[in-house]
Amino acid sequence: MFVSDLVSRDPDRATTRHLRVRDQTLKIVTNSPEADGLVSETFCPPGMLGVSETGPEAEPDLTVVDVAQDPSEVTGLLRRAAETARRGEYELTRHYRQPRFDGEGHTVFVLRDQNSDEVAALVRTEGRVTLLRPRSGLGDRWLTRIVRDVATRIAKAAGSLVLHSSAFVYEDGAYLVIGDSGAGKSTTAIALARLLPSAGWMGNDRMHLDRGEAGYRVTACPLPLAINKGSLDVMGVTDFGSWSVRAGFPPAGSDWDRFHGEDKLKLSSQEVGRYLGVRVVPNAPLAGVILPRVDRGAGYSLGPASPAHTAEVITRNCFSLDDNLYGEDWLDVPVRQRAAPPSLDAFLEHLAKLTVLRCTVGSAADVATLAADFEDRIRR
């Protein structure tokens, strides 16, 4: 397959949909029902990362075309690009570089997941990105990854403050759960979302905050909830053996059954609602912050966090400074507006007016106590 053939027309038997990303429109075309389904499942409920369905527009800001083909077509396209275009490199994700080939009016990027040898290609032309990838489970995920990357670039360009954080919603307000890797962010957020009345879960790992006249609004980034068996134990969840999750369970011999194991079970937002019985909320106004520590060997505690500790933890976990997932803007995403994110000092000054708590839990009983104590503090 030649680049000119790939970018000049849409694939046969393709489906087309339009997504609104903040104030911009993406046209999405794919010949893979599985890839189309993953987009629907990922950006659910509408509003995750500012993405929702919209009607067709004659001139979308960007068209993303996903073409599933035999692997030989992918390798053939990359071979011809290597023979005819200027070779370089780009940062696909932070510190992970792949080849690129700059031709006349187009650039071909090599796509390769860090955990697989399977190769895909992306061709960037004016107003369009075209994926050519194998018909595989990994290949089906590239479309969602590209949409998420585009939406992240648009959010950052609009001035979103990005924090390494989980979050839950209580009484229509978002509570960020912020901490270093292994602190127990996901465990604390999902546990409180399950136990507090009328609560909800927002997401895992990244939150985008936008400042308005009334304060900050929190928007979830639709990454899977990554959780290990130790966290499920702390939450008192025992029926996971009956779950049928898309990503499957970690393989035998992995360390997912350890409390701080690296291998984790990954649940989409829809699966969080289905199996954990939690309402998923895409965005809400900021109401407060919890700085957690989940440690089965420690005693229970809950109290106000000092300004110094709060500043230290939040500064370390601000992805607006250095996002370890996204590398350079190799897609050259078109944006309508550019604004600087709020400063950390301004954000910390705002937090001084809100509830900021520090907690330690180590058992299902501690989690239940935390929910009751948290509710009592908010209602005072």
Side-chain angles (χ1 to χ4, degrees), residues 28-99:
I28 307 297
V29 182
T30 179
N31 66 346
S32 168
E34 293 78 14
D36 188 57
L38 273 173
V39 171
S40 297
E41 184 172 334
T42 299
F43 298 98
C44 179
M48 279 282 186
L49 201 52
V51 177
S52 58
E53 296 281 347
T54 189
E57 288 194 11
E59 296 184 5
D61 293 277
L62 183 66
T63 297
V64 182
V65 181
D66 171 53
V67 184
Q69 281 282 5
D70 293 332
S72 60
E73 296 286 357
V74 179
T75 55
L77 179 82
L78 292 176
R79 185 184 65 253
R80 282 185 283 273
E83 294 170 349
T84 60
R86 185 175 69 257
R87 182 188 176 103
E89 285 188 342
Y90 76 106
E91 192 178 42
L92 174 57
T93 55
R94 185 69 66 193
H95 308 308
Y96 181 59
R97 306 191 69 82
Q98 290 294 304

Side-chain angles (χ1 to χ4, degrees), residues 234-251:
V234 167
M235 292 190 292
V237 176
T238 60
D239 62 343
F240 58 86
S242 64
W243 297 353
S244 177
V245 297
R246 178 189 288 271
F249 281 83

Side-chain angles (χ1 to χ4, degrees), residues 6-143:
L6 185 64
V7 304
S8 62
R9 62 182 182 86
D10 294 340
D12 296 333
R13 296 181 295 279
T15 59
T16 299
R17 67 200 300 183
H18 290 76
L19 301 177
R20 194 74 176 168
V21 183
R22 294 188 174 227
D23 62 345
Q24 299 186 224
T25 304
L26 303 184
K27 179 183 177 182
I28 307 297
V29 182
T30 179
N31 66 346
S32 168
E34 293 78 14
D36 188 57
L38 273 173
V39 171
S40 297
E41 184 172 334
T42 299
F43 298 98
C44 179
M48 279 282 186
L49 201 52
V51 177
S52 58
E53 296 281 347
T54 189
E57 288 194 11
E59 296 184 5
D61 293 277
L62 183 66
T63 297
V64 182
V65 181
D66 171 53
V67 184
Q69 281 282 5
D70 293 332
S72 60
E73 296 286 357
V74 179
T75 55
L77 179 82
L78 292 176
R79 185 184 65 253
R80 282 185 283 273
E83 294 170 349
T84 60
R86 185 175 69 257
R87 182 188 176 103
E89 285 188 342
Y90 76 106
E91 192 178 42
L92 174 57
T93 55
R94 185 69 66 193
H95 308 308
Y96 181 59
R97 306 191 69 82
Q98 290 294 304
R100 63 181 286 171
F101 304 97
D102 296 306
E104 187 66 34
H106 70 270
T107 300
V108 178
F109 299 90
V110 175
L111 300 180
R112 183 183 286 109
D113 188 270
Q114 293 189 39
N115 301 310
S116 173
D117 292 331
E118 182 177 290
V119 176
L122 183 143
V123 183
R124 183 70 165 88
T125 52
E126 182 69 27
R128 172 179 171 130
V129 295
T130 307
L131 280 161
L132 180 66
R133 46 76 174 188
R135 300 181 184 274
S136 67
L138 176 60
D140 288 332
R141 293 200 294 269
W142 279 113
L143 178 58

Side-chain angles (χ1 to χ4, degrees), residues 300-317:
Y300 169 78
S301 66
L302 175 68
S306 70
H309 179 69
T310 301
E312 179 184 345
V313 173
I314 290 178
T315 299
R316 280 201 309 268
N317 289 279

